[in-house]
């Protein structure tokens, strides 16, 4: 009898628990004084936190700044943020929450390509303007009506590198790529555009993201006759090891890295071996070195100064820059549209012309929701442990 | 199952040693007839075999029917409280996770075998469906069934050698399988889209597209009840008794003539198939698939659901899945401290309810009732 009684009590408890849980799911917040709600979902924790953390800090900083200056169209901005931990499934749940429950007016974010690609169908279905901070070309190709993005694509990095190689007279190159997401994607993109620049890839090696020695692959490249330059698309510590091994093997051909290593961390890891390495990167990295008549200079120096003032010297990263661009593009579009009505904002966004951001000049159009050209990248060389702008000097 | 079964997972060792080292502290059980019911596991249905036929009321109060009825009612009533697409989404995700957890609970909770690679099976099912439907235009339902068969076969082939292993070695082997699957999904980019993932076509059955949240809710809710029903029946059958004998003491089970390998393999396959079906449906539901679905962390998350809710309790698995899926949504207001508090809650639950939420609370109720 006791057992039966217990079971009954218990079942009732379970049922009550379920009902209570459902009833107390966060309810719809009633908007009191009509702020414009900007939703965002970022990988602030987890393996992609190096992206999400500066992105969130940037958004919070500039939302506060905009509000202090009187908001947008007389309304204050409100940032609604959720941390995805880099998980696309969680991103989908959070975006549903942003749209259905928080009723945001626009969404920016998606630190990784996976998160951004996963939520795009929702943006189209619910018709919410969305600006992604992730790299993949698939986000804007094919163009979706409601989705835009701010960072350069890997294809553009390849184009910038091949442009530079061509200028220096290199037509036969070797590639050594990481097999992580970034390396894989860029390897494929570079292989695709190489013929357009008359560049022939003689050797194509790969290494795993956790490998600690790439001498074997590099020896094979060294023994390939006719290699004039080597390109290393990769991310994380792999490229630093490649660079070190490269010097140990005393390979003479110039080494190109990708924008994936455009952080001070790379120079720290590779040390002296990094000397002479070239890579494409956003102007933000060399903000002070830009010539004074460069229209991008005030934007990047302004953002850098503001970010570093709050978060410490040397803390600025291009990833935070993508978030800055995304927020500013949405705010500009809202100002142009004179409202935060989604359709109007989307249309204004698509007609954005000549916006100067940290990634370069943005010109959106019906067929281009990225709006950047390879010129948005700057070619840098590492000299004396620091970045040096070589765009103009090599001519 | 015996009371002394080493089933009190501490946070540190929850997922490995204790679960799958049968017989160390347990006196050889009496596998042929059901062991006296442990207070921690009142809903295992043990002991029903020898019972005489009962009246309707008594039958309803049996955990197999009664518990199932409660679950069905909760599933049926819940939509009244779901206000928008987000609420539905959380409920649907809970359903998906609960089905996998129910399958995994058969293996971990009843059979006493650990798997740290179940997300791998889920991933294979998901990718099989995603690729055949999206790239080759198969009907999603056919694809789902074939995926389940393929995963079942895969699990069968893998299970024969690895279920000979015990304790840490079994944990290592399943971990390895999960990692291998995860690596393959990451590397075969031309097929799987690589680490960036792939976009998946919607789920259609005979021209009907599952699009609205309530379509999915009905489908997943229905499947959840079926999964629970299947699980309760397996446990209540001779197979279930054999499984618990294996958990109690593998040696003793063999001595009395239980073909331990066969039962272990069988349940491993069943739980892998549960995961595969959820993987297939989940891919169509989200309409996007990335290798993270098959990652080691996802495997661990699934094990936590089982352990948190209560091992050897089908409804515990459901409660565990619900808790682990919904809790982060309630904690978002904590911003930076979200993960800290989440971890703290899990630790406190395991410290104060070491047998898991459902068995521990049930035991508590029982004690209260006896006073």
């Amino acid at each position: 009898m006791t057992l039966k009684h217990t079971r009954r009590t218990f079942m009732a408890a379970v049922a009550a628990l379920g009902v209570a849980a459902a009833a107390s799911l966060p309810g719809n917040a009633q908007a009191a004084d009509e702020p414009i709600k900007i939703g965002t979902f970022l990988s602030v924790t987890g393996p992609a936190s190096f992206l999400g953390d500066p992105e969130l800090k940037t958004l919070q900083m500039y939302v506060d700044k905009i509000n202090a200056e009187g908001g947008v169209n007389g309304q204050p901005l409100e940032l609604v943020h959720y941390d995805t931990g880099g998980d696309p499934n969680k991103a989908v749940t959070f975006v549903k929450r942003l749209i259905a429950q928080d009723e945001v007016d626009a969404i920016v974010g998606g630190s990784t390509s996976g998160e951004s690609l996963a939520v795009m169908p929702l943006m189209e279905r619910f018709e919410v303007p969305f600006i992604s901070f992730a790299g993949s070309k698939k986000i804007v190709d094919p163009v979706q009506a409601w989705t835009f993005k701010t960072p350069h694509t890997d294809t553009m990095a390849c184009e910038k590198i091949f442009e530079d190689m061509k200028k220096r007279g290199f037509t036969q190159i070797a590639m050594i790529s990481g097999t992580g997401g970034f390396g894989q994607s860029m390897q494929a993109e570079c292989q695709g555009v190489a013929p357009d620049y008359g560049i022939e890839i003689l050797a194509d090696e790969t290494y795993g993201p956790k490998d600690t020695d790439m001498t074997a692959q590099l020896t094979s490249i060294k023994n390939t006759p006719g290699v004039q330059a080597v390109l290393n698309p990769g991310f994380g510590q792999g490229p630093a090891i490649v660079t070190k091994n490269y010097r140990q093997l005393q390979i003479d051909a110039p080494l190109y890295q990708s924008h994936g290593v455009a952080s001070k961390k790379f120079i720290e890891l590779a040390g002296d071996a990094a000397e002479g390495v070239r890579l494409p990167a956003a102007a933000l990295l060399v903000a002070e070195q830009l010539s004074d008549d460069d229209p991008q200079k005030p934007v990047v120096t302004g953002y850098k100064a503001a970010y570093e003032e709050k978060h410490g010297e040397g803390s600025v990263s291009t990833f935070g820059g993508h978030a800055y661009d995304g927020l500013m593009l949405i705010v500009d579009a809202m100002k142009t549209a004179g409202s935060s009505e989604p359709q109007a904002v989307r249309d204004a966004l698509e007609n954005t012309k000549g916006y100067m951001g940290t990634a370069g000049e943005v010109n959106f159009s019906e067929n281009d929701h990225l709006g950047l050209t390879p010129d948005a990248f700057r070619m840098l060389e590492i000299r004396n442990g620091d970045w040096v702008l070589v765009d103009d000097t090599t001519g | 199952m015996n009371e002394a079964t080493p089933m009190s997972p501490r946070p540190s060792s929850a997922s490995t040693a204790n679960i799958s080292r049968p017989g160390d502290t347990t006196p050889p059980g009496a596998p042929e007839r059901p062991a006296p019911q442990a207070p921690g596991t009142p809903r295992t249905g043990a002991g029903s075999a020898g019972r005489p036929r009962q009246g309707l009321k008594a039958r309803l109060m049996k955990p197999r029917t009664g518990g199932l009825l409660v679950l069905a009612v909760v599933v049926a009533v819940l939509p009244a409280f779901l206000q928008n697409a987000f609420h539905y989404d959380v409920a649907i995700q809970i359903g998906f996770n609960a089905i996998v957890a129910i399958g995994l609970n058969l293996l971990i909770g009843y059979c006493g075998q650990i798997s740290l690679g179940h997300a791998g099976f889920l991933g294979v099912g998901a990718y099989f469906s995603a690729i055949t439907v999206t790239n080759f235009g198969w009907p999603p339902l056919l694809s789902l069934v074939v995926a389940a068969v393929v995963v079942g076969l895969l699990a069968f082939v893998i299970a024969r050698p690895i279920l000979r292993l015990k304790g840490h070695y079994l944990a290592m082997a399943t971990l390895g399988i999960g990692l291998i699957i995860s690596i393959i999904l990451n590397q075969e980019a031309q097929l799987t889209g690589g680490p960036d993932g792939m976009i998946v076509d919607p789920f259609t059955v005979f021209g009907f597209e599952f699009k609205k949240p309530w379509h999915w809710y009905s489908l997943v809710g229905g499947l959840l009840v079926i999964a629970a029903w299947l699980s309760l029946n397996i446990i209540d059958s001779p197979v279930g008794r054999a499984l618990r004998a294996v958990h109690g003491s593998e040696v003793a089970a063999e001595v009395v003539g239980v073909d331990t390998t066969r039962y272990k393999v069988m349940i491993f396959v069943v739980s892998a198939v549960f995961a595969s079906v959820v993987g297939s449906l989940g891919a169509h539901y989200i309409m996007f698939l990335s290798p993270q679905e098959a990652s080691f962390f996802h495997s661990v998350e699934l094990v936590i659901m089982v352990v948190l809710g209560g091992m050897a309790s089908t409804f515990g698995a459901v409660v565990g899945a619900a808790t682990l899926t919904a809790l982060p949504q309630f904690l978002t207001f904590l911003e930076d401290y979200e993960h800290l508090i989440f971890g703290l809650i899990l630790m406190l639950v395991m410290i104060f309810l070491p047998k898991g939420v459902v068995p521990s609370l049930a035991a508590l109720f029982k004690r209260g009732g006896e006073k």
Side-chain angles (χ1 to χ4, degrees), chain A residues 86 88-89 93 96-97 101, chain B residues 43 87 89 285 292-293 329:
Chain A
N89 281 7
T93 303
K96 282 183 182 162
R97 185 166 177 175
Q101 181 146 303
Chain B
R43 16 195 77 252
H87 291 171
D89 184 71
Y285 171 66
Q292 257 161 329
E293 202 63 8
Q329 296 293 336

Side-chain angles (χ1 to χ4, degrees), chain B residues 323-342:
Chain B
T323 312
L324 221 63
T325 314
L327 194 57
Q329 296 293 336
F330 290 100
L331 296 178
T332 49
F333 70 94
L334 295 165
E335 302 260 328
D336 290 352
Y337 301 101
E338 187 186 327
H339 296 268
L340 209 69
I341 302 297
F342 184 62

Side-chain angles (χ1 to χ4, degrees), chain A residues 156 230 232 316 371 380:
Chain A
M156 289 161 54
V230 178
N232 174 207
V316 76
L380 309 184

Side-chain angles (χ1 to χ4, degrees), chain B residues 87-111:
Chain B
H87 291 171
Y88 268 102
D89 184 71
V90 174
I92 292 164
Q93 300 275 8
I94 288 175
F96 278 138
N97 285 331
I99 296 171
V100 185
I102 285 175
L104 198 56
N105 178 49
L106 286 174
L107 184 73
I108 298 179
Y110 288 106
C111 196

Side-chain angles (χ1 to χ4, degrees), chain B residues 102-170:
Chain B
I102 285 175
L104 198 56
N105 178 49
L106 286 174
L107 184 73
I108 298 179
Y110 288 106
C111 196
Q113 310 297 315
I114 183 80
S115 173
L116 290 178
H118 249 57
F121 295 120
L122 192 144
V124 173
Y127 271 97
F128 189 94
S129 275
I131 292 167
T132 52
V133 173
T134 311
N135 298 352
F136 303 115
W138 288 27
L141 197 61
L142 172 75
S143 191
L144 181 143
V145 173
V146 178
V149 171
V150 168
V151 169
L153 281 173
L154 179 73
F156 180 77
V157 171
I158 292 169
R160 295 269 341 166
I162 70 163
L163 286 175
R164 291 170 182 278
L165 303 172
K166 290 190 173 79
H168 298 306
Y169 300 102
L170 178 64

